[in-house]
Amino acid sequence: MLEIKNLCVSLEEEDKQILKGVNLTVEAGKVHAIMGPNGSGKSTLSYVLSGRDGYEVTDGSASLLGEDILDKEPEERAAAGLFLAFQYPVEIPGVGNMTFLRTAVNAQRKARGEEEMSATDFLKEVRSKAKDLKIDADMLKRPVNVGFSGGEKKRNEILQMAMLEPKMCILDETDSGLDVDAMKLVAEGVNALRSQNRGFLVITHYQRLLDHIKPDVVHIMADGRIVKTGGPELALEVENNGYADILAEVA
Amino acid sequence: MSLAQTKETDVSKRLAEMKVSQSGWSAPARKEAYDRLMKMGMPQRRDEYWKYTRPDTLTSGEAIPAAVQKDSEGPIFDELDSHKLVFVDGVYSETLSDGLSLTGAVLELLSTTEEVDIHWAKSLYGSLEKNGQTPVARPLAAFNSAFAEEGILLHVKETLSKPISLHYIHGSETSDVILHHVIKVDAGARATILESGAVAARCNTVIEAEIEQGGQLNHIRAQGRDHERRAVTHVFAQLEEHSQFKSFTLTMNGVLTRNETVIDMRGDDSIAHVAGASVGDGDFHHDDTVFITHDALRGESRQVFKKVLRNGATGVFQGKILVKPGAQKTDGYQISQSLLLDDDSQFLAKPELEIYADDVACSHGSTSGAIDEEALFYLRSRGVAADEATNLLTLAFLSEALSEVENEDIAELINARLEGWLKRRR
């Protein structure tokens, strides 16, 4: 599904290398988690994959379903099936949430040469999916993320994911700023989307999200590289002993 | 002779050649306006009030010709159920209009009532304009009162069942038009006036509106798309107790537009909202000049102006809230914002508050900015192409002004025009 080979990335503005050769393959139907201390390059990886400005790829490649994505515009990557759930979802005053969702769904369909979704079908689907995430009609009407609580913003990310039905989902610290109940709700939303044809990359600091979204593979990232890969037990090890032991071990 | 002097002479020649009507009910008001104008003189570039907008092409002897453009979208308000009055280069067209008979109101034309000696509009014509000349002179409005050729005289006695739609067709490349409308809204009555179209190569329009106790007047204007047209407009509104005036203007294109709105809130508990959305690229200069005077208790005023500028377009905002002594519990709000889509465009803003009462709430803000890159990336990451995302964010920027249009059908028509404008510029 997602194949990252020796990915090296620097900041455009300053001569600073953030990713120093990341190798990672996420298979369809699997959930991979990336954990790691602050500044290890986890969020950078998610931004580079989704096409945000400000980063320069100096070496390596990343492909989605065998197709190179790094030369593509962000909207092309999205249409190809990539989705990033933002750590800090952006507020967009003046654009209704519903308008936003519909524009996005139809833009992707158009880019893939599919027919646009009718207004009725769209409404039906969005209502049913919003209900599962406890997103009420008011939240759908309001401008995108404006005045939303931390939990509401993250649920809104998952709603977008559910509507867009991407092939590869990257969740960037989706648990940050969430209380236990909100985290459960978000995790349920993600779990409902798990399928044989979809891959997940869950970026998180803490084990607790992984109690709810059970990963198949856990990677530890440090200083711009994946330094250790293992099963779910690796996340527990981090939870119990912190990163210091693992980092000392691989150093 | 210097260039400046040549222009002065040009303006004087224009004035000398124009004749103030000597007969009929409006003659005394026209004479007075003419005298006012002579005393003030035409606006000059050195005038503080014209610091950001050059008045010379508005005052010059002849209008600079403006190409008549085919409007592929048709008149904006045609889809609405309205009472339509059409003016071609400022001349009323009987064949294109719905006529002057209207339930709940008296509707006449300035040109056909000229010879009458007694008329209800006599006490209003030129008088609101005159009141609006202090503390700031507005010579082009006095010029209009002195020389107006046509306009409607509308006395609203009951709430009107549908809007009155004034549509102005620009027919000749050299047309130079002066229109003066007088509107009186009786106590408790409500009316909506729509204006649309490019009017002329150059137009000078004035609306004087007196709104009696509890009366309401909505004014929605869509200034026509012709690239080369020039316009100076004045709206003078006088608000009595519990009355309401709401005005919204959409401006797309036009080489020069100066819209002045002067509101006298003299009755307690009155409400005045003035808003505008303008979009322009290239040779586009758009000036909103607003002066709201709170002279009574518990007045609520709002000014919301948004401009989208690109390819060297210029936007100007001069907005003032004057709270007179004793106008307690005034609630004033003013915002002017520009979205600069490139580095060549500019926005010049002069927001002003002048307050002589101690128990008031007035806020004002003015900003210039580019498209929010974070929001743009967010939209693109969801699959929305860069152009479409930019347009979506541009419409979002304009939405606060557009939300001042209460009628949803009208708001939708305006939004559709803005969408069209943005799409044509991809």
Side-chain angles (χ1 to χ4, degrees), chain B residues 20-36 114 116-118 122-123 125-127 130 145-146:
Chain B
V20 180
S21 168
Q22 303 282 338
S23 63
W25 63 271
S26 68
R30 286 174 184 273
K31 174 76 172 56
E32 255 190 70
Y34 182 79
D35 292 345
R36 266 200 299 285
E114 284 282 281
V116 182
D117 281 330
I118 301 168
K122 190 175 177 177
S123 62
Y125 187 97
S127 79
K130 181 186 168 188
S145 295

Side-chain angles (χ1 to χ4, degrees), chain A residues 97-129:
Chain A
N97 212 9
M98 203 73 129
T99 309
F100 166 61
L101 279 168
R102 204 172 152 208
T103 306
V105 166
N106 284 332
Q108 291 201 12
R109 286 182 167 230
K110 215 172 119 192
R112 291 194 293 258
E114 299 165 13
E115 243 183 75
E116 291 196 356
M117 207 180 210
S118 78
T120 340
D121 287 351
F122 173 80
L123 218 64
K124 226 180 184 171
E125 202 171 322
V126 83
R127 282 201 181 125
S128 126
K129 286 178 171 164

Side-chain angles (χ1 to χ4, degrees), chain B residues 112 196 263 303 369:
Chain B
T112 55
S196 60
I263 299 179
Q303 302 173 39

Side-chain angles (χ1 to χ4, degrees), chain B residues 363-407:
Chain B
S363 62
H364 68 119
S366 184
T367 63
S368 286
I371 286 277
D372 179 355
E373 290 294 329
E374 290 282 317
L376 188 63
F377 174 64
Y378 191 61
L379 287 168
R380 294 180 71 189
S381 79
R382 297 302 180 247
V384 185
D387 280 348
E388 198 181 350
T390 302
N391 287 354
L392 201 59
L393 292 172
T394 304
L395 286 172
F397 165 79
L398 292 167
S399 67
E400 189 189 356
L402 207 58
S403 67
E404 291 290 321
V405 179
E406 285 170 357
N407 182 312

